[in-house]
Amino acid sequence: SFVKNHLRSSFIQRKLSGREKREMQREILSILGLPGRPRPANGGQFPSSAPLFMLDLYHAMCSEEEDDGGQGVSRPLFTTLSTQSPPLGAVISEADTVMSFVNMVENDRDIFHQKPYWKEFKFDMTQIPTGESVTVAEFRLFKTRSFSRQFNRTLHISIYEILREHANRQPELTLLDHESIQAGDEGWLVFDVTAASNHWLLNSKYNSGLRLYVENDDGQSIDPSLAGILGRRAPRSKQPFMVTFFRASKNQIRSTR
Amino acid sequence: AIKQLKKRQQKKHSDLPHPNKLPSVFDHIHVPDGRQVCKRHELYVSFRDLGWLDWVIAPQGYSAFYCEGECSFPLDSCMNATNHAILQSLVHLMKPESVPKACCAPTKLSATSVLYYDNNNNVILKKHRNMVVKSCGCH
């Protein structure tokens, strides 16, 4: 009877006073590492690709916490066309923070310039959490069916980090990842951009963005838009974004509260 | 010392100050009348009530437990506090000036995750391990 009475201990819900409420708000913001409450310009504008993807991640994390098994997340997240991208289960389990970045800039090859065609993307990584290191960074793009009628044609998509830009010549690039898909395929493409995000974290002034090229089997350059690659002007739920997984460094000391 | 305590305890065993009070050899000494033994409470933090849903995407709120009151450890059958705390209680009883009372501490913590926008419309998912108290030493 002791155990029975004891487990049925009282759960009291009381209304907080104004001061307690303000203190609690400050405490929650402090735990989240925020100086004040964020004021997103377009907050709550659903559906958009990055928040939807992050919500999917959130649900996966919550179900993992409920299971409490530590087996990792096995649920597919934003089913992708990419065959090379590893399952995110272990990455999600180990992550302390996940951030999605909105594409800030999107440049296309100037129509007066010679081929090849390309498309550039840029993400602002200046406001990243302190004391955490990147484990994985992914660039996610949506591809619709190609506008060409040759749907079974293979397309080779490559993502480069722009190392340095020059005024009158091509920028210095380094290959990050590539993917080969059918022109008729439709869905999300995932590219590993971990190396680039690590560079940008170390030195944000060298963040010149990512450049994308599309080629066919003959090595001919294809206009990314004609290949079905969607950009900033796409529907909100299909816009490109970058997602980065962070892990807190082990020697990080949490202050006593 | 325990023998003496047990004798004295038998006299006052019937007048427990609180219905949730745990049976303890220290009852009449450690927890004087009017004081509460440790009780478990639930606190619900509502992001909706705080008016934060313009930047917090999920969850709408979360509940956590906290304990309030003094620990009182049963030394007989239902002993679920750590031996260390029980020992500290005993030593405190003998040398109250040099050894403090055992305080209630969380024994089971779970993770919680928060999904929110930052000022630049980026979305952050933050996982806090060992954040929500599920039980404490007395329970």
Side-chain angles (χ1 to χ4, degrees):
Chain A
S1 66
F2 159 71
V3 173
K4 197 174 163 188
N5 288 334
H6 190 58
L7 290 177
R8 203 174 356 115
S9 67
S10 56
F11 298 127
I12 298 167
Q13 287 198 30
R14 67 185 173 87
K15 207 164 172 67
L16 296 173
S17 69
R19 190 178 59 82
E20 282 178 312
K21 203 170 170 179
R22 280 192 297 277
E23 279 175 4
M24 192 179 72
Q25 289 181 34
R26 266 203 302 273
E27 177 71 9
I28 296 169
L29 290 170
S30 162
I31 289 169
L32 293 170
L34 300 168
R37 54 163 295 180
R39 307 263 177 200
N42 304 311
Q45 272 194 17
F46 268 71
S48 185
S49 55
L52 284 173
F53 174 82
M54 296 294 280
L55 199 58
D56 209 1
L57 267 185
Y58 168 82
H59 290 307
M61 260 191 188
C62 289
S63 62
E64 186 204 15
E65 282 159 21
E66 279 166 20
D67 295 345
D68 206 23
Q71 301 296 309
V73 178
S74 55
R75 203 178 136 192
L77 293 148
F78 262 51
T79 313
T80 60
L81 290 173
S82 302
T83 50
Q84 293 171 5
S85 63
L88 275 179
V91 178
I92 298 167
S93 300
E94 287 172 7
D96 294 299
T97 306
V98 188
M99 269 185 92
S100 70
F101 297 91
V102 176
N103 178 30
M104 310 287 287
V105 177
E106 189 175 306
N107 296 326
D108 287 288
R109 182 195 73 111
D110 193 315
I111 50 167
F112 301 111
H113 273 72
Q114 288 182 327
K115 283 184 180 178
Y117 298 98
W118 48 260
K119 214 175 191 38
E120 283 180 0
F121 306 88
K122 196 171 177 181
F123 306 93
D124 180 8
M125 287 186 74
T126 51
Q127 293 195 348
I128 49 107
T130 51
E132 303 202 22
S133 53
V134 174
T135 53
V136 171
E138 292 179 339
F139 176 44
R140 291 181 168 249
L141 277 167
F142 195 86
K143 186 199 164 299
T144 56
R145 303 185 91 190
S146 170
F147 292 108
S148 145
R149 286 180 186 170
Q150 297 165 296
F151 290 138
N152 54 359
R153 193 174 59 167
T154 304
L155 298 176
H156 305 280
I157 303 170
S158 308
I159 295 288
Y160 292 83
E161 179 189 353
I162 303 170
L163 292 178
R164 199 162 300 166
E165 287 178 300
H166 302 287
N168 296 315
R169 58 189 172 98
Q170 284 292 307
E172 290 172 40
L173 304 173
T174 182
L175 179 66
L176 293 171
D177 201 3
H178 63 92
E179 188 74 51
S180 296
I181 47 161
Q182 297 288 298
D185 287 344
E186 183 170 295
W188 285 95
L189 290 164
V190 183
F191 297 96
D192 184 357
V193 293
T194 311
S197 70
N198 273 321
H199 293 160
W200 298 337
L201 281 182
L202 288 173
N203 213 332
S204 58
K205 71 175 181 182
Y206 293 122
N207 180 355
S208 300
L210 301 170
R211 184 177 275 206
L212 174 143
Y213 288 98
V214 184
E215 288 179 342
N216 64 14
D217 272 335
D218 303 326
Q220 285 181 320
S221 179
I222 311 279
D223 183 345
S225 303
L226 292 176
I229 302 289
L230 297 186
R232 284 180 93 181
R233 283 178 287 276
R236 287 175 58 80
S237 61
K238 290 174 181 172
Q239 287 178 354
F241 64 95
M242 192 173 89
V243 59
T244 307
F245 297 80
F246 297 93
R247 181 110 172 92
S249 59
K250 283 182 181 165
N251 55 11
Q252 201 177 5
I253 299 162
R254 217 167 77 186
S255 60
T256 310
R257 295 181 190 282
Chain B
I2 288 171
K3 270 185 183 175
Q4 285 174 353
L5 287 170
K6 275 185 177 170
K7 278 179 190 172
R8 279 192 280 174
Q9 187 200 20
Q10 281 169 354
K11 292 175 189 173
K12 287 193 171 182
H13 204 294
S14 57
D15 51 6
L16 295 171
H18 193 279
N20 281 341
K21 197 170 184 348
L22 314 179
S24 165
V25 292
F26 308 130
D27 283 349
H28 63 295
I29 295 166
H30 209 47
V31 187
D33 287 352
R35 282 204 207 168
Q36 268 195 345
V37 290
C38 190
K39 277 173 74 180
R40 193 168 61 164
H41 301 276
E42 188 180 20
L43 173 74
Y44 185 75
V45 178
S46 170
F47 292 134
R48 178 180 289 279
D49 290 351
L50 292 173
W52 281 4
L53 289 188
D54 60 330
W55 66 277
V56 177
I57 302 169
Q60 295 206 342
Y62 67 92
S63 56
F65 296 105
Y66 69 95
C67 297
E68 196 175 47
E70 285 182 12
C71 277
S72 180
F73 300 106
L75 289 185
D76 44 15
S77 54
C78 306
M79 190 167 69
N80 59 5
T82 62
N83 287 336
H84 179 91
I86 293 167
L87 196 66
Q88 187 177 333
S89 299
L90 270 170
V91 180
H92 165 75
L93 201 69
M94 291 185 284
K95 291 186 175 181
E97 308 82 26
S98 50
V99 178
K101 280 180 209 172
C103 293
C104 186
T107 52
K108 192 183 173 193
L109 295 156
S110 67
T112 186
S113 303
V114 185
L115 183 67
Y116 60 95
Y117 284 102
D118 69 5
N119 290 323
N120 299 329
N121 271 15
N122 297 323
V123 180
I124 301 168
L125 173 57
K126 212 161 189 131
K127 182 180 185 176
H128 296 278
R129 297 168 202 275
N130 302 327
M131 183 57 72
V132 178
V133 178
K134 290 290 179 189
S135 64
C136 62
C138 301
H139 297 273

